Amino acid sequence: MFRKYLITGAAGFIGSNFVHYLYRHHKDIEVTVLDKMGYSASPLNIKDFQQYPGFTFVQGDICDPVAVQTAMQGAQVVVNFAAETAVDRSIDNANSFLKTDIAGVHTLLQEARRQKQLQRFIQISTDEVYGHVLEGSFHETSELKPRNPYAASKLGGDRLAYSFFVTYGLPVIVTRASNNYGPRAYLEKVIPLFITNLIDGQQVPVYGEGKQIRDWLFVEDHCSAVDLLVDHGVNGEVYNIGGEQELTNMELTGRILRMMGKDKSAIKFVQDRPGHDFRYSLDCSKMRKLGWKQRYTVDEGLEQTIAWYRDNEHWWRPIKENMDNRYLAGFWGDKK
Ligand SMILES: NC(=O)c1ccc[n+]([C@@H]2O[C@H](COP(=O)([O-])OP(=O)(O)OC[C@H]3O[C@@H](n4cnc5c(N)ncnc54)[C@H](O)[C@@H]3O)[C@@H](O)[C@H]2O)c1
């Protein structure tokens, strides 16, 4: 069955993996990508999509109603990955987060109301909207207590999308995913930063004592979950999507070091981030009831990710050379 998708933010990490996932798993589709090409976007991701039939790229901002109208024309499915995503940047200044992660979502939702053929609007939210949890796991009904400006802005978009379901009957689904890793992630994120530093023989910065716990989701598993929700999710519902594989930052670092043949002398401990959430943990039984499960262990996902960065230096080398190092781990230490 023919289907037309609008995927926003697909010049970035998860959205780009999702577009490749769609073309690998579906025939007879058209995909339009709307992306403003911010600092975390890669033109090489867009170039890779040109191989696909029915692919169109619109460079524009989700806050711009004209760009949104052009890109959404005729779409049956909208998946909104576009966002300001870096917690450290939001702590420094949250203006762009309020614009994109709340007002931008509103612009998309308003246009979606005019697209009468629209069957699904998926708002990609985050587990950070729950805040952190010391014991147990978050369910979709858990209290929402975001603890940094990124998470608070994402919660604005998350609930705004839900309000369009309740108020206007828009076919909205909200997903809350845990920490993703995999190919094509911007190098500020911990895993690609560590891998590329180690390829270059540099140290890796670990916040505080590295005791924080994160749940790691391989991006391919995230894509399969979102794809499943397009057909089988229930409008108005929220779905947690996690790896259900929790590691302390030190455990994660140890695995990457071992896989890349390095030892602990490659670690540099740096001052902790203010308000650093201690642990995130998601209960994903609602997704499993739909028939989804994760296919990748952390070790399998990390091996694939390391291999991708080793094989695709042409993708990340220019990014690394032009990166604003103020926002790398260690940023807070440097500000003392
Ligand atoms: N990375 C994770 O671990 C994670 C976990 C849970 C949820 N999420 C959510 O998944 C989505 C994608 O995250 P990511 O890691 O791929 O981020 P990313 O930073 O790699 O990509 C974001 C993309 O959105 C684009 N963008 C930003 N502002 C825009 C705007 N105003 N208009 C149009 N395009 C804009 C950027 O240019 C970039 O290409 C985000 O909504 C994020 O909140 C990410």
Side-chain angles (χ1 to χ4, degrees), residues 44-83:
L44 294 181
N45 291 343
I46 300 296
K47 201 169 152 220
D48 282 350
F49 299 149
Q50 306 295 346
Q51 60 175 306
Y52 294 130
F55 172 76
T56 308
F57 175 53
V58 178
Q59 181 165 0
D61 196 312
I62 62 165
C63 304
D64 171 4
V66 177
V68 167
Q69 188 184 22
T70 307
M72 205 183 287
Q73 205 59 49
Q76 279 114 9
V77 176
V78 174
V79 185
N80 179 31
F81 290 98

Side-chain angles (χ1 to χ4, degrees), residues 12-14 35-36 38 40 61-62 81 85 100 125 150 154 180:
F13 167 38
I14 307 173
D35 196 302
K36 75 170 187 184
S40 65
D61 196 312
I62 62 165
F81 290 98
T85 57
T100 291
S125 186
Y150 160 70
K154 286 295 292 184
N180 279 231

Side-chain angles (χ1 to χ4, degrees), residues 130 140 173-177 229 232-241 282-283 286-287 290:
Y130 296 116
E140 286 82 355
I173 284 176
V174 174
T175 64
R176 296 183 184 143
L229 288 172
H232 300 289
V234 175
N235 290 336
E237 293 293 312
V238 175
Y239 294 88
N240 287 344
I241 306 171
L282 290 179
D283 180 295
K286 192 166 169 182
M287 276 305 301
L290 289 182

Side-chain angles (χ1 to χ4, degrees), residues 8-16 34-42 60-63 80-86 96 99-101 104 123-128 150 154 175-181 184-186 189 216 222:
T8 65
F13 167 38
I14 307 173
S16 63
L34 173 64
D35 196 302
K36 75 170 187 184
M37 302 308 286
Y39 73 91
S40 65
S42 167
D61 196 312
I62 62 165
C63 304
N80 179 31
F81 290 98
E84 288 291 339
T85 57
S96 60
K99 280 194 197 120
T100 291
D101 300 359
Q123 170 61 16
I124 304 293
S125 186
T126 165
D127 63 351
E128 296 204 26
Y150 160 70
K154 286 295 292 184
T175 64
R176 296 183 184 143
S178 62
N179 277 40
N180 279 231
Y181 68 101
R184 299 184 197 84
Y186 188 66
K189 305 271 157 111
W216 289 100
H222 189 179

Side-chain angles (χ1 to χ4, degrees), residues 257-298:
L257 291 176
R258 181 167 42 76
M259 287 175 187
M260 296 190 69
K262 306 282 180 182
D263 63 36
K264 290 199 169 148
S265 64
I267 297 176
K268 177 186 171 202
F269 289 98
V270 297
Q271 185 178 316
D272 216 343
R273 167 195 285 170
H276 203 170
D277 288 350
F278 183 69
R279 174 175 175 258
Y280 304 130
S281 177
L282 290 179
D283 180 295
C284 301
S285 46
K286 192 166 169 182
M287 276 305 301
R288 269 200 302 280
K289 277 188 199 133
L290 289 182
W292 175 81
K293 65 175 191 311
Q294 308 86 344
R295 284 188 50 212
Y296 296 86
T297 64
V298 170

Side-chain angles (χ1 to χ4, degrees), residues 126-141:
T126 165
D127 63 351
E128 296 204 26
V129 298
Y130 296 116
H132 67 172
V133 64
L134 301 182
E135 282 177 15
S137 300
F138 290 119
H139 295 255
E140 286 82 355
T141 51

